[in-house]
Short mmCIF file of all heavy atoms in Angstrom, two decimals:
data_model
loop_
_atom_site.label_atom_id
_atom_site.label_comp_id
_atom_site.label_asym_id
_atom_site.label_seq_id
_atom_site.Cartn_x
_atom_site.Cartn_y
_atom_site.Cartn_z
N LEU U 467 -1.72 -79.57 -98.60
CA LEU U 467 -1.18 -78.53 -99.53
C LEU U 467 -2.27 -77.76 -100.22
O LEU U 467 -1.97 -76.70 -100.70
CB LEU U 467 -0.32 -79.27 -100.59
CG LEU U 467 1.05 -79.75 -100.02
CD1 LEU U 467 1.71 -80.68 -101.02
CD2 LEU U 467 1.99 -78.61 -99.69
N GLU U 468 -3.49 -78.31 -100.22
CA GLU U 468 -4.56 -77.54 -100.87
C GLU U 468 -4.95 -76.25 -100.01
O GLU U 468 -5.62 -75.42 -100.48
CB GLU U 468 -5.78 -78.34 -101.18
CG GLU U 468 -6.52 -78.83 -99.92
CD GLU U 468 -5.88 -80.01 -99.26
OE1 GLU U 468 -4.77 -80.46 -99.63
OE2 GLU U 468 -6.55 -80.51 -98.26
N ARG U 469 -4.45 -76.34 -98.84
CA ARG U 469 -4.76 -75.10 -97.93
C ARG U 469 -3.52 -74.10 -97.91
O ARG U 469 -3.41 -73.35 -97.09
CB ARG U 469 -4.96 -75.57 -96.55
CG ARG U 469 -6.26 -76.40 -96.38
CD ARG U 469 -7.47 -75.73 -96.81
NE ARG U 469 -7.92 -74.64 -95.93
CZ ARG U 469 -8.95 -73.92 -96.06
NH1 ARG U 469 -9.69 -74.05 -97.10
NH2 ARG U 469 -9.27 -72.94 -95.18
N LEU U 470 -2.60 -74.28 -98.88
CA LEU U 470 -1.47 -73.37 -98.92
C LEU U 470 -1.92 -72.05 -99.45
O LEU U 470 -2.49 -71.91 -100.48
CB LEU U 470 -0.37 -73.98 -99.88
CG LEU U 470 0.83 -73.12 -100.02
CD1 LEU U 470 1.57 -72.97 -98.75
CD2 LEU U 470 1.71 -73.68 -101.09
N ALA U 471 -1.70 -70.99 -98.71
CA ALA U 471 -2.07 -69.58 -99.06
C ALA U 471 -0.95 -68.99 -99.91
O ALA U 471 -1.04 -68.49 -100.97
CB ALA U 471 -2.37 -68.73 -97.88
N TYR U 472 0.29 -68.92 -99.29
CA TYR U 472 1.42 -68.54 -100.05
C TYR U 472 2.70 -69.00 -99.29
O TYR U 472 2.56 -69.67 -98.21
CB TYR U 472 1.47 -67.09 -100.36
CG TYR U 472 1.41 -66.03 -99.34
CD1 TYR U 472 2.59 -65.30 -98.96
CD2 TYR U 472 0.34 -65.74 -98.56
CE1 TYR U 472 2.64 -64.29 -97.95
CE2 TYR U 472 0.35 -64.71 -97.53
CZ TYR U 472 1.43 -64.04 -97.36
OH TYR U 472 1.47 -63.03 -96.39
N VAL U 473 3.85 -68.58 -99.84
CA VAL U 473 5.10 -69.10 -99.26
C VAL U 473 6.01 -67.97 -98.89
O VAL U 473 6.05 -66.93 -99.58
CB VAL U 473 5.79 -69.98 -100.36
CG1 VAL U 473 7.15 -70.47 -99.86
CG2 VAL U 473 4.92 -71.16 -100.82
N HIS U 474 6.86 -68.15 -97.89
CA HIS U 474 7.89 -67.22 -97.45
C HIS U 474 9.21 -67.79 -97.79
O HIS U 474 9.47 -69.00 -97.56
CB HIS U 474 7.86 -66.90 -96.00
CG HIS U 474 6.92 -65.73 -95.64
ND1 HIS U 474 6.85 -65.39 -94.32
CD2 HIS U 474 6.22 -64.87 -96.31
CE1 HIS U 474 5.92 -64.37 -94.30
NE2 HIS U 474 5.61 -64.08 -95.50
N VAL U 475 10.10 -66.93 -98.33
CA VAL U 475 11.49 -67.30 -98.50
C VAL U 475 12.34 -66.28 -97.85
O VAL U 475 12.07 -65.04 -98.02
CB VAL U 475 11.83 -67.36 -100.01
CG1 VAL U 475 13.33 -67.66 -100.25
CG2 VAL U 475 11.00 -68.31 -100.72
N ALA U 476 13.38 -66.72 -97.13
CA ALA U 476 14.18 -65.72 -96.41
C ALA U 476 15.66 -66.22 -96.34
O ALA U 476 15.95 -67.39 -96.50
CB ALA U 476 13.66 -65.36 -95.09
N GLY U 477 16.51 -65.26 -95.99
CA GLY U 477 17.94 -65.52 -95.82
C GLY U 477 18.27 -65.86 -94.34
O GLY U 477 17.59 -65.48 -93.43
N GLY U 478 19.48 -66.42 -94.15
CA GLY U 478 19.88 -66.63 -92.83
C GLY U 478 21.40 -66.91 -92.88
O GLY U 478 22.05 -66.84 -93.95
N VAL U 479 21.93 -67.22 -91.65
CA VAL U 479 23.38 -67.48 -91.67
C VAL U 479 23.73 -68.60 -90.62
O VAL U 479 23.04 -68.67 -89.63
CB VAL U 479 24.16 -66.16 -91.35
CG1 VAL U 479 23.83 -65.75 -89.97
CG2 VAL U 479 25.60 -66.21 -91.63
N GLU U 480 24.71 -69.19 -90.97
CA GLU U 480 25.25 -70.34 -89.94
C GLU U 480 26.11 -69.74 -88.99
O GLU U 480 27.02 -68.95 -89.40
CB GLU U 480 25.90 -71.43 -90.88
CG GLU U 480 26.74 -72.31 -89.93
CD GLU U 480 26.25 -73.76 -89.90
OE1 GLU U 480 25.25 -74.06 -90.70
OE2 GLU U 480 26.66 -74.49 -89.03
N HIS U 481 25.98 -69.91 -87.73
CA HIS U 481 26.86 -69.34 -86.71
C HIS U 481 26.91 -70.22 -85.47
O HIS U 481 25.89 -70.55 -84.97
CB HIS U 481 26.35 -67.98 -86.35
CG HIS U 481 27.12 -67.24 -85.30
ND1 HIS U 481 28.19 -66.38 -85.66
CD2 HIS U 481 27.03 -67.27 -84.00
CE1 HIS U 481 28.71 -65.87 -84.56
NE2 HIS U 481 28.00 -66.38 -83.53
N GLY U 482 28.11 -70.67 -85.13
CA GLY U 482 28.24 -71.51 -83.94
C GLY U 482 27.56 -72.80 -84.11
O GLY U 482 26.95 -73.32 -83.21
N GLY U 483 27.50 -73.41 -85.24
CA GLY U 483 26.93 -74.70 -85.51
C GLY U 483 25.41 -74.71 -85.52
O GLY U 483 24.79 -75.64 -85.55
#
Side-chain angles (χ1 to χ4, degrees):
Chain U
L467 288 168
E468 69 278 7
R469 298 298 289 178
L470 177 66
Y472 63 107
V473 177
H474 271 179
V475 177
V479 70
E480 163 112 15
H481 179 91

